[in-house]
């Protein structure tokens, strides 16, 4: 059998990842619907009432049992996509035990973050049934701001080791770009991304004094200084255009609208479906179902906004980096190293991709180098 080219492997890899992700989402949605409509949610509610009279303990028991049951069905998808497939395409550096430890750590961190939010949600539903959606949106906004400040210093180090970048030439280039962009650089850090994967990445993270640029060791070790500078210029572009704050604002608006619509639909369906009230545990899967449909409808809009911001950051990198041509080679290297499909189907890109395709991004670099007018973004 003829060996597949790297591009063919990328298309197959991305297609399998997409199929698995969609299958997991569809299964999760159907299980929620069945859980609600077959009476199992009511049986679980009745069981919690037999165990305790405390409303919050009932809620936690209900969520724990329902969540564990759902995870039993979705775990095979997660394991296949996150471990088996990554090894099949030689992208993972994790042993099975490493993967299990990381997943346990992720779940514990998720529990520590999610538990207070879940309790706040049920408290508001119990005590403010008409305005819970508004106050929960406020709580989530404040929590996201707090998380943005603390995550780079408290959460990320639980998963990776961060150390200040020590390459003097790179630091000079980055300091120049930061000065041009009036970017108050709190720090540039490398992290041991290679402990988990062969993929490469860099990101602009944090808010306020915790703001920093993080660069994976897999990128630093395989890219030239010109390419790394161009990638850094792209991240500075996000700061200059205030993309993080704009995305937070868009996300906050999306949260308020989503919870408000969920509130309206939830109240309309409660009595029709025979539930006793908004805090009826058996009815809670209905909120999850409504929000799942809402997210399905708005996610293409969120992705379109993200692609627009990525294009702005790309153009900034071309205008500010010392070697714009290196940005194209960096993009191609990233797609090769990360096994990304350079030219996904337009519908796949529209519905699922937060970045423009590599082909479109490289085309913009070529147009820029040829002096063609770049569409203002």
């Amino acid at each position: 059998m003829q060996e597949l080219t790297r591009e063919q492997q990328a298309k197959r890899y991305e297609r399998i990842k997409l199929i698995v992700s969609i299958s997991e989402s569809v299964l999760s949605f159907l299980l929620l619907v069945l859980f609600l409509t077959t009476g199992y949610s009511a049986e679980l509610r009745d069981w919690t009432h037999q165990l305790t009279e405390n409303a919050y303990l009932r809620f936690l028991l209900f969520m724990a049992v329902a969540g564990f049951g759902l995870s039993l069905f979705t775990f095979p998808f997660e394991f296949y996509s996150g471990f088996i497939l990554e090894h099949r395409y030689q992208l993972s550096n994790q042993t099975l035990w490493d993967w299990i430890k990381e997943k346990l750590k992720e779940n514990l961190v998720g529990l520590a973050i999610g538990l207070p939010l879940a309790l706040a949600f049920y408290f508001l539903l119990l005590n403010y049934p008409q305005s819970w959606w508004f106050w929960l949106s406020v709580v989530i906004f404040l929590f996201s701001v707090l998380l943005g400040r603390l995550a780079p210093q408290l959460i990320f180090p639980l998963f990776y080791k961060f150390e200040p970048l020590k390459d003097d030439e790179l630091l000079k280039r980055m300091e120049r770009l930061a000065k041009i962009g009036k970017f108050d650089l709190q720090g540039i850090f490398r992290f041991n991304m290679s402990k988990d994967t062969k993929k490469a990445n860099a990101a602009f993270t944090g808010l306020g004094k915790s703001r920093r640029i993080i660069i994976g060791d897999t990128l630093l070790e395989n890219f030239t200084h010109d390419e790394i500078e161009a990638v850094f210029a792209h991240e500075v572009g996000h700061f200059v255009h205030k993309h993080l704050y704009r995305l937070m604002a868009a996300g906050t608006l999306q949260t308020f609208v989503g919870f408000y619509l969920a509130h309206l639909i939830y109240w309309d369906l409660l009595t029709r479906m025979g539930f006793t009230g908004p805090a009826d545990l058996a009815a809670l899967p209905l909120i999850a179902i409504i929000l799942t449909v809402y997210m399905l409808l708005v996610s293409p809009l969120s992705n379109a906004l993200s692609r627009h911001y990525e294009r702005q950051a790309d153009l900034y990198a071309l205008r500010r980096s010392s070697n714009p041509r290196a940005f194209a080679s960096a993009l191609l290297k990233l797609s090769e190293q990360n096994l990304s499909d350079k030219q996904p189907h337009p519908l796949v890109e529209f519905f699922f991709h937060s970045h423009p395709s590599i082909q479109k991004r490289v085309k913009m670099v070529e147009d820029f180098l040829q002096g063609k007018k770049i569409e203002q973004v």
Side-chain angles (χ1 to χ4, degrees):
M1 183 179 294
Q2 186 177 5
E3 187 175 348
L4 296 176
T5 65
R6 190 69 174 173
E7 188 170 344
Q8 289 171 326
Q9 288 181 353
K11 282 191 173 294
R12 180 172 291 187
Y13 169 75
E14 294 259 331
R15 183 170 61 251
I16 295 172
K17 293 276 282 190
L18 182 61
I19 290 172
V20 172
S21 177
I22 292 174
S23 299
E24 182 181 0
S25 298
V26 170
L27 177 63
S28 298
F29 182 78
L30 292 177
L31 287 172
L32 277 173
V33 172
L34 289 172
F35 182 55
L36 179 73
T37 58
T38 57
Y40 283 113
S41 65
E43 290 184 15
L44 182 57
R45 173 203 59 199
D46 295 342
W47 177 74
T48 63
H49 278 248
Q50 294 172 10
L51 294 179
T52 178
E53 295 182 358
N54 186 287
Y56 297 102
L57 286 179
R58 290 174 183 168
F59 169 72
L60 292 177
L61 283 169
F62 184 90
M63 295 298 293
V65 174
F68 179 74
L70 181 63
S71 67
L72 288 179
F73 287 95
T74 58
F75 177 77
F77 295 91
E78 186 177 358
F79 179 66
Y80 179 81
S81 180
F83 184 78
I84 293 177
L85 196 62
E86 296 297 299
H87 278 275
R88 177 177 297 174
Y89 285 89
Q90 300 178 345
L91 294 170
S92 177
N93 292 326
Q94 291 179 314
T95 64
L96 178 58
W97 177 235
D98 289 335
W99 185 84
I100 292 172
K101 285 192 298 183
E102 289 299 302
K103 284 300 165 186
L104 288 173
K105 197 185 300 181
E106 286 177 18
N107 288 330
L108 288 173
V109 171
L111 183 64
I113 294 172
L115 187 59
L117 289 177
L119 288 171
F121 158 71
Y122 198 61
F123 169 81
L124 293 169
L125 202 59
L126 273 172
N127 295 281
Y128 305 95
Q130 293 293 341
S131 59
W132 67 269
W133 63 272
F134 176 82
W135 296 114
L136 182 60
S137 299
V138 172
V139 168
I140 289 177
F141 168 73
L142 295 174
F143 196 81
S144 65
V145 172
L146 179 64
L147 200 60
R149 290 292 300 268
L150 299 180
Q153 296 166 319
L154 296 182
I155 297 178
F156 295 170
L158 296 175
F159 297 92
Y160 296 103
K161 179 181 178 182
F162 291 85
E163 55 185 15
L165 186 65
K166 297 177 181 178
D167 189 314
D168 290 336
E169 181 186 344
L170 268 180
L171 285 173
K172 287 179 181 178
R173 294 188 184 209
M174 293 177 179
E175 287 167 358
R176 178 187 70 83
L177 286 168
K179 185 176 181 180
I180 293 172
K182 298 180 181 179
F183 173 53
D184 184 15
L185 198 59
Q186 298 296 326
I188 306 171
F189 295 84
R190 66 177 287 157
F191 67 102
N192 57 332
M193 193 173 179
S194 60
K195 77 180 182 69
D196 294 332
T197 181
K198 294 179 174 65
K199 296 178 180 180
N201 201 6
F204 171 60
T205 66
L207 294 171
K209 293 184 178 180
S210 68
R211 187 171 55 226
R212 60 185 60 186
I213 297 287
I214 58 174
I215 307 175
D217 56 356
T218 47
L219 191 148
L220 289 167
E221 292 167 5
N222 293 293
F223 288 63
T224 67
H225 281 181
D226 282 351
E227 290 166 343
I228 296 171
E229 179 194 345
V231 171
F232 179 79
H234 171 92
E235 299 303 330
V236 174
H238 282 307
F239 169 78
V240 170
H241 288 288
K242 298 180 171 57
H243 288 158
L244 181 60
Y245 297 103
R246 293 175 186 271
L247 286 172
M248 285 184 64
T252 300
L253 176 62
Q254 180 178 303
T255 299
F256 273 86
V257 172
F259 282 147
Y260 178 62
L261 292 176
H263 165 72
L264 293 179
I265 298 170
Y266 186 56
W267 269 97
D268 184 59
L269 294 176
L270 275 175
T271 53
R272 295 186 190 186
M273 299 183 70
F275 297 113
T276 59
D280 187 341
L281 293 177
L284 296 186
L286 181 57
I287 295 181
I289 291 169
I290 296 167
L291 290 174
T292 298
V293 174
Y294 172 74
M295 290 304 300
L296 177 66
L297 295 175
V298 301
S299 61
L301 298 176
S302 300
N303 284 334
L305 181 63
S306 176
R307 290 193 300 271
H308 172 68
Y309 288 162
E310 291 299 329
R311 183 173 166 83
Q312 284 186 326
D314 283 353
L315 187 55
Y316 182 90
L318 293 175
R319 289 171 172 167
R320 297 302 184 184
S321 56
S322 58
N323 181 6
R325 190 178 300 278
F327 189 55
S329 63
L331 290 171
L332 292 170
K333 273 189 180 180
L334 280 170
S335 68
E336 179 81 10
Q337 191 164 340
N338 296 349
L339 208 58
S340 303
D341 185 0
K342 298 185 184 72
Q343 189 179 1
H345 191 280
L347 287 177
V348 172
E349 182 179 351
F350 174 77
F351 281 106
F352 301 106
H353 286 208
S354 60
H355 288 58
S357 68
I358 295 296
Q359 183 189 54
K360 289 180 180 177
R361 298 175 78 181
V362 171
K363 175 66 165 55
M364 189 171 81
V365 176
E366 293 171 351
D367 289 345
F368 178 84
L369 293 173
Q370 291 171 14
K372 295 181 180 179
K373 184 178 179 181
I374 304 296
E375 180 184 351
Q376 291 299 308
V377 291

